[in-house]
Amino acid sequence: MDKSPEINRPITLKELPMPSLVHPLLPLSSTPKPPANSPAYDGPFAVHSTRPKSLRTVTAIYKTKSETRINKKAEDDYHATLKALNSKGRFPRKSLGQHYMLNSEVNDQLVAAADVQEGDLVVEIGPGTGSLTNVLVNSGATVLAIEKDPYMAALVTERFSSLDYVKVLQEDFTKCHIRSHLSTVLQSGMNSSGVKSKYAKVVSNLPFNISTEVIKQLLPMGDIFSEVVFLLQEEAAVRMVDSSLRSSEYRPINIFINFYSDAEYKFKVPRTNFFPQPKVDAAVVSFRLKQPVDYPPVSSAKSFFSMVNCAFNGKRKMLRKTLQHICPSLAIEEALVSAGLPSTSRPEELALNDFVRLHNSIVKP
């Protein structure tokens, strides 16, 4: 995280760097769509509704509800960020990991990476000034934005106050009951598009200091979310996606991510696109969540990850030593050999499937 001191005064234009162009977006894989005449499971968030089916109709609603269109894309740049912050006398708070996006092109690519379509229900964590929220709305999504900072929550609420399909909650996401909130959104009729939503998505410029905690919270929710797309610190993004064995960066989080999802590094975002500018670059990563029926076959996910964490507590030690509290060393050696692995194996040498086989051999249900 950036170690620079917090700014405790209104911001001036001179303090805002001109953002550089984001690196070109790599080819994105789109979510497969079933044939129009084929039966398909509508998922937990499928609803019928009467929301206008085109952005042209949505534009008409804006013009009748306010004199100026709320989601005017040209305003979501570094000038808009400065104006929004100064309008509330706010400044970025280091304790909340606040780094505001200055480049609307990055938000466009972030939404494209999640393949957000009209009728999607999208959760946004830390909306800040609402620049990403704006792009999500333009894509036809219903947005549930969760913001910890009460001042920024008030700003975003005010900005989208005329839209029934944007709901802002002032809450700490790491402590909130997301399933309950999603149910409330659906029952309130917010998701009012003519298109059926199969599963919700999460799209966020995530505060860097809570990224790992949020990922651990969301990835096991494949029963309600289909896709999670985050803007993260580049170093963390690479580490999470690269699960190369025998690497110094190979950790339990890699096993966790591969257990619950298919992760993909999308593109790099230079640090000059943020205010305040962090000391590191960022990157966008997508996590395609697995359905519970597709999880690796273990008797208990809790005992599985407990075993994995214990194994990595002594990363350079042999598993027959680090796991001997679970069963005798000889039994661990036999289980490794039966899985086609050396009896002297260390945790950094085992892939996800190897850990699954080992767990099922030495941990009894």
Side-chain angles (χ1 to χ4, degrees):
M1 288 301 302
D2 187 8
K3 300 298 184 182
S4 59
E6 294 187 6
I7 301 172
N8 55 7
R9 53 182 171 73
I11 307 146
T12 63
L13 266 176
K14 292 182 179 180
E15 295 177 282
L16 283 168
M18 287 290 290
S20 64
L21 292 178
V22 66
H23 286 211
L25 179 61
L26 300 178
L28 304 179
S29 56
S30 59
T31 306
K33 304 292 189 304
N37 59 352
S38 66
Y41 172 52
D42 288 338
F45 300 126
V47 294
H48 296 282
S49 66
T50 59
R51 181 181 179 180
K53 297 180 181 179
S54 69
L55 290 180
R56 181 175 300 173
T57 308
V58 172
T59 302
I61 290 177
Y62 291 136
K63 290 181 179 179
T64 59
K65 290 191 175 182
S66 62
E67 294 182 359
T68 57
R69 184 179 175 186
I70 291 179
N71 69 327
K72 189 175 180 182
K73 279 191 174 184
E75 293 183 356
D76 278 299
D77 54 13
Y78 65 100
H79 291 288
T81 300
L82 176 66
K83 181 179 179 181
L85 292 173
N86 279 342
S87 70
K88 299 295 181 181
R90 301 307 297 160
F91 49 90
R93 296 177 60 186
K94 179 181 176 183
S95 61
L96 296 180
Q98 291 176 335
H99 295 277
Y100 297 106
M101 175 55 60
L102 304 178
N103 189 341
S104 60
E105 181 184 347
V106 175
N107 287 329
D108 291 337
Q109 295 190 27
L110 185 59
V111 172
D115 191 29
V116 175
Q117 302 291 325
E118 186 167 351
D120 282 347
L121 175 57
V122 178
V123 174
E124 182 186 2
I125 304 166
T129 60
S131 61
L132 176 58
T133 315
N134 191 40
V135 178
L136 290 168
V137 167
N138 257 335
S139 300
T142 293
V143 181
L144 174 61
I146 302 176
E147 173 61 63
K148 182 177 180 179
D149 186 336
Y151 295 96
M152 303 313 295
L155 188 153
V156 178
T157 299
E158 179 181 330
R159 178 175 182 179
F160 298 99
S161 60
S162 66
L163 301 184
D164 294 334
Y165 38 89
V166 176
K167 181 177 178 61
V168 182
L169 296 178
Q170 192 271 299
E171 197 166 347
D172 182 348
F173 181 82
T174 62
K175 299 177 182 178
C176 79
H177 300 285
I178 188 61
R179 292 179 184 272
S180 175
H181 289 320
L182 287 174
S183 297
T184 301
V185 167
L186 295 171
Q187 291 171 5
S188 68
M190 273 184 59
N191 195 35
S192 55
S193 166
V195 181
K196 295 180 180 179
S197 296
K198 291 187 176 182
Y199 298 91
K201 296 179 179 179
V202 183
V203 183
S204 295
N205 172 7
L206 198 65
F208 293 162
N209 59 348
I210 62 170
S211 59
T212 300
E213 186 176 0
V214 171
I215 286 170
K216 288 182 176 180
Q217 181 177 347
L218 285 174
L219 295 198
M221 296 185 179
D223 59 322
I224 59 174
F225 294 113
S226 62
E227 190 110 11
V228 173
V229 178
F230 283 149
L231 186 58
L232 307 169
Q233 280 188 354
E234 187 191 25
E235 181 181 345
V238 172
R239 186 168 61 244
M240 289 178 179
V241 173
D242 182 13
S243 56
S244 302
L245 302 182
R246 298 180 177 84
S247 165
S248 60
E249 300 298 332
Y250 189 54
R251 302 174 184 180
I253 188 65
N254 297 107
I255 305 296
F256 182 90
I257 289 172
N258 292 337
F259 188 98
Y260 288 114
S261 71
D262 295 313
E264 181 181 356
Y265 181 104
K266 292 295 187 180
F267 57 92
K268 178 180 178 179
V269 179
R271 67 194 74 179
T272 51
N273 288 284
F274 298 91
F275 177 79
Q277 181 174 307
K279 293 184 178 180
V280 295
D281 294 326
V284 171
V285 174
S286 74
F287 303 89
R288 185 71 56 84
L289 270 57
K290 298 177 182 178
Q291 295 294 302
V293 295
D294 297 323
Y295 296 161
V298 295
S299 57
S300 166
K302 182 178 180 180
S303 67
F304 173 75
F305 288 112
S306 175
M307 183 200 75
V308 170
N309 289 330
C310 288
F312 276 89
N313 281 340
K315 188 173 181 179
R316 294 298 303 160
K317 293 182 179 180
M318 297 179 188
L319 291 167
R320 65 188 183 190
K321 295 291 186 183
T322 57
L323 299 180
Q324 60 184 348
H325 65 287
I326 297 177
C327 67
S329 296
L330 182 58
I332 296 173
E333 292 178 5
E334 292 174 350
L336 289 168
V337 172
S338 65
L341 299 167
S343 61
T344 56
S345 293
R346 294 176 170 81
E348 62 187 20
E349 300 170 342
L350 273 65
L352 170 61
N353 290 336
D354 297 327
F355 274 111
V356 170
R357 287 194 292 269
L358 178 60
H359 172 270
N360 293 342
S361 295
I362 68 174
V363 178
K364 304 304 177 185

